[in-house]
Amino acid sequence: MSLFQNIPYLQESKLPKCKCSKCNKLSKTVVSLSMLATSFCFSQKCDLVLEGKVLDLHDSSPIEAALIEVVDGNEAILSDANGKFVFENQCSGKINLKISHLNCEDIYTSVNLNKSISRMFYLEHHIELLKEVILDESKTKKLSTTAPSYALTDLQKDQYSVRGLAKALEQISGINTISSGNVISKPLIHGMFGSRVGIIYDGIPIENQQWGQDHAPNIDQNAFDEISLIKGAGVLKYSGDTPGGVVVLETKIPKIKDSLYGKTILNGFSNGRGLNIISSWTKSFQSGKYFRVQGTLKRVGDFEAPDYVLSNSGNDENNFSFTLGQNKILSQWKTNFSYFSQEIGILRSAHVGNVYDLVIGIESDIPTIINPLSHQIIFPKQVNRHYTGSIQYSKRRESSGKWNVKYSWQRNNRKEYDIRRGEYKNQSAVDLTLDTHNLTTNYKWGGSIWSFDSGAFLQVQDNYSNPSTGIKRFIPDYIKARFEGYFTTSFSPSNHFNLGFGIRYSHHNNEVKKYYHYNRWRQENYEGSLGGFVIGDFAGQKLIGQRLIFNNLSMSSGVKYVIQPDLNLSLNIFHTERAPDIAEIFSDGLHHSLATIEYGNPFLKTETVQKLVLNFEKVSGKFRFNFSPYLTQGQNYIIIEPNGIEYTIRGAFPVWEYRSVSSLIQGFDLDLSLQLGKNLKLSNNSSWIEGYEKGSRTPLISIPPLSTTSQIQFSPARWKSFVMALSNKYFSRQNQYPNHNFETSVVENGNRVTKLVDISSPPKGYNLLGLEFHFGPYPLFSNKISLSLIFENLLNTSYRDYLNRLRFYADEMGRNIMLQIKIQH
């Protein structure tokens, strides 16, 4: 029997019948070749494995539940939560695949399989832009492979659209606000603020004189679609000197289709008699081109404490941004321009001119100056303007790998107006202009198990202090050159285990010109240490020219392990090195917004911080929790604190000075939620922290007290698209604080007496009750409309916040009722 009798086209009866030698020879050749081909077919390998990962084309985030089908075959599989899929027992040869997902363009691709391989596949993932989802808790977004990160929901962003970025972030456990009054606030993460907390918007690190406590971020959070946070220095691709954390603001890339959509928010609020309008519009085309415009207008009068008006505490704000770009499958480009303008009144009673006024202000239960409510902003005040221009381009390879390059320019102009007389009556006392040029580039690549990201950062910065103020420069002129390079990698051998590592090198080169008054020069005995840098003497001042160079190395490593399908454990260790800010080294003079004299320390060295963060997270089920203890230790840790009083021709003012210490900060964050049926949910966010100097165990200044926020959310089954929430925020008294009180001599009732100036004792703890009603979205012609009615400090509680530098002079804001109307076009 022939070996090929069951193969029709190779049966001998089917072979050509010819008796000539040539045909017989040809027949034998055909049979031989057929046997060879069939033998190859029978020996083909069918034990190969095709492993893949389906990712979003724009941000490389994994896509779950993508359908991967073998064309002309009967195999299909869904990608898991990490975007992974596996085809086993495959034969060698070419495999044609179809990959599809809801809201994605289907893609067809082929893989030549001659050995087991791993491939990355990218889908153009379109999110439903007009979908409105009401949530009450932060959703997690993957900014780091091992460190947990948090993203505010749309409802949270909109609810705090008028309160500023720091207040919006305060909804996350472990986040506090450090402030000067009711408008100027900045995020404080795990006891750290200022330069230790990075703010990145569309890939650009903000540069806006952010070192001071009264320097709020000059940025409009309403210009961005996503606000995310990672606690700890877990994102080395953005920065290596932010041990506190990184705030990332991003705009979404529109669909590749013809569409026009937008959102308008109207806010009206009772406290401050304020109005605010925010509107954004996006137009996209089938070609991939798109443009977006966004604007914010805000007018707020004097705020009110429960018992009196907080005179000169209002603010005006005007912001605008424009974006033009093109989104293609394998490449994108975008250019952007934004303008931020803010005028802020400084509490009138906080501007004291002598020690006696300071003593009276601290001892009095009410402000020493109370005027009728007004929308006019008078001196003292701040005027801040921030301009940003950027252009970026990215190119993706068809298989894997994405290259990005971005150039950005920022100009920040900050003016502080004091109460002055004479020819300088309308002249600012501080006028600083900071120009910053950034060039960044990075390349990302990898497979289903390994991923890599490397890049470089170049910055040139020029700070100019306007001498026409008639007052010595508070911050000196300087030029800074900064170069950085980083490398990060992630190893994910399975869905249950992830290992990450990163390293970043930073070189700072600062050229500074600084004036020192003779009195300060002699008092601090600077001749021995700074005399070699003197380049001139002018009008009782010494001018020094100094070059400061810092070389820093930061590293991070972390591991994440899935203990059970709904229980994750992660451990992250960070080592960060931060060059001292120019202000920390050279600030000199009266800080008008705070009515204090500040002195830098010219001998500060690189600040080094090690931080360990442990995170337990239950991610599914009716009961969820996230418990995150952390430990931070610092060497040359830079702090600013009171150090006596100084008399000047302007009056007497408290003196604050920078110094470095060995520090230890420890604490935990705890998030709990319990879903009771479909309509009721309970949640609680708590945080505890303590910080002190090693050795002496002296508490660190400006460490927040224990705080906890509880909320009950209810949505009746019969009421469609309605949510009610009742919340209570509790802040305890901070019992661990450094004592910087001092005594001074003042004239009282014609007699000279000694008074204690208590600038250290924290205020008592307090509770704040809040109530929220959210309606919608409901159809409105071709739009959707949502309404919110929000009551803050519902019981009109009188209280003072330990983290407010102006707490000595007045209570915090009282009850506020806000009506918000949101229209999605």
Side-chain angles (χ1 to χ4, degrees), residues 17-24:
K17 301 295 183 180
C18 181
K19 295 182 178 180
C20 68
S21 60
K22 290 184 179 180
C23 288
N24 287 334

Side-chain angles (χ1 to χ4, degrees), residues 315-565:
N315 72 299
D316 294 343
E317 191 173 313
N318 305 288
N319 307 321
F320 171 80
S321 66
F322 175 80
T323 301
L324 176 66
Q326 184 172 27
N327 174 27
K328 294 184 177 181
I329 299 298
L330 295 177
S331 66
Q332 295 122 26
W333 64 267
K334 181 171 73 172
T335 182
N336 172 267
F337 175 80
S338 64
Y339 169 73
F340 176 93
S341 175
Q342 188 178 51
E343 184 178 13
I344 306 172
I346 305 299
L347 183 68
R348 183 64 184 86
S349 61
H351 198 86
V352 296
N354 54 62
V355 179
Y356 181 75
D357 290 342
L358 177 63
V359 172
I360 294 300
I362 292 175
E363 291 181 346
S364 176
D365 292 331
I366 62 174
T368 55
I369 299 176
I370 301 176
N371 297 321
L373 190 149
S374 172
H375 282 75
Q376 182 181 6
I377 299 175
I378 59 176
F379 300 146
K381 67 178 182 179
Q382 286 184 13
V383 176
N384 302 306
R385 292 185 173 88
H386 193 86
Y387 308 82
T388 301
S390 68
I391 183 168
Q392 67 181 72
Y393 175 78
S394 65
K395 179 71 175 179
R396 183 186 296 279
R397 294 171 55 189
E398 291 186 6
S399 56
S400 64
K402 183 178 181 181
W403 173 67
N404 299 277
V405 62
K406 171 176 285 187
Y407 165 77
S408 65
W409 162 80
Q410 297 177 69
R411 168 167 289 183
N412 184 260
N413 180 244
R414 173 184 176 83
K415 294 181 179 180
E416 295 183 7
Y417 290 86
D418 193 4
I419 301 174
R420 308 175 71 180
R421 296 175 176 84
E423 60 177 313
Y424 292 105
K425 179 179 180 180
N426 296 314
Q427 176 68 47
S428 61
V430 173
D431 186 352
L432 301 173
T433 300
L434 183 67
D435 281 299
T436 304
H437 301 267
N438 291 338
L439 179 64
T440 61
T441 182
N442 77 296
Y443 184 72
K444 298 188 292 185
W445 74 101
S448 60
I449 297 178
W450 287 94
S451 64
F452 307 91
D453 190 350
S454 64
F457 172 78
L458 178 65
Q459 180 185 88
V460 177
Q461 194 171 73
D462 182 10
N463 184 74
Y464 174 69
S465 183
N466 191 347
S468 65
T469 59
I471 297 176
K472 69 176 180 178
R473 294 171 174 86
F474 182 59
I475 302 295
D477 297 343
Y478 65 87
I479 295 178
K480 176 193 295 184
R482 181 175 175 180
F483 171 77
E484 298 184 356
Y486 76 89
F487 173 80
T488 64
T489 182
S490 173
F491 175 61
S492 304
S494 70
N495 296 336
H496 302 286
F497 181 78
N498 186 276
L499 181 67
F501 173 78
I503 186 170
R504 189 178 184 106
Y505 166 77
S506 177
H507 172 79
H508 296 247
N509 191 325
N510 306 309
E511 291 189 11
V512 184
K513 290 185 177 181
K514 170 75 174 75
Y515 286 95
Y516 283 98
H517 275 285
Y518 284 164
N519 290 339
R520 179 71 177 171
W521 185 269
R522 289 191 293 265
Q523 179 182 342
E524 298 298 321
N525 194 24
Y526 283 152
E527 184 63 34
S529 53
L530 301 177
F533 301 106
V534 174
I535 58 177
D537 287 77
F538 304 94
Q541 301 179 89
K542 286 187 179 292
L543 175 63
I544 69 169
Q546 198 170 2
R547 180 187 296 270
L548 301 175
I549 296 177
F550 299 93
N551 292 289
N552 299 328
L553 188 67
S554 298
M555 294 178 288
S556 70
S557 62
V559 60
K560 183 176 181 180
Y561 179 67
V562 180
I563 303 174
Q564 298 176 357

Side-chain angles (χ1 to χ4, degrees), residues 746-763:
V746 299
V747 176
E748 186 176 57
N749 298 325
N751 299 314
R752 183 165 292 278
V753 296
T754 299
K755 285 280 190 177
L756 176 68
V757 183
D758 186 355
I759 58 174
S760 301
S761 299

Side-chain angles (χ1 to χ4, degrees), residues 696-748:
S696 67
R697 301 286 295 185
T698 302
L700 296 178
I701 196 171
S702 300
I703 296 295
L706 171 69
S707 63
T708 181
T709 301
S710 301
Q711 186 181 75
I712 301 175
Q713 180 178 288
F714 178 63
S715 53
R718 296 182 180 180
W719 292 19
K720 184 179 179 181
S721 300
F722 171 75
V723 175
M724 180 181 70
L726 179 67
S727 64
N728 180 74
K729 295 182 178 181
Y730 169 71
F731 293 83
S732 67
R733 183 181 186 271
Q734 177 56 280
N735 294 316
Q736 297 181 342
Y737 61 94
N739 187 350
H740 296 291
N741 297 339
F742 59 91
E743 292 184 341
T744 187
S745 177
V746 299
V747 176
E748 186 176 57

Side-chain angles (χ1 to χ4, degrees), residues 50 52-55 63 65-71 77-79 83 85 87 96-102 104-111 119-124:
L50 171 61
K53 195 171 186 180
V54 185
L55 304 174
I63 296 179
L67 178 64
I68 303 93
E69 302 174 80
V70 178
V71 181
I77 194 171
L78 292 175
S79 60
F85 67 90
F87 283 118
N96 296 311
L97 299 177
K98 176 187 176 183
I99 305 178
S100 57
H101 188 266
L102 183 66
C104 295
E105 301 283 347
D106 295 345
I107 65 170
Y108 293 85
T109 186
S110 60
V111 178
R119 286 281 304 273
M120 312 280 278
F121 301 93
Y122 293 89
L123 286 179
E124 178 78 15

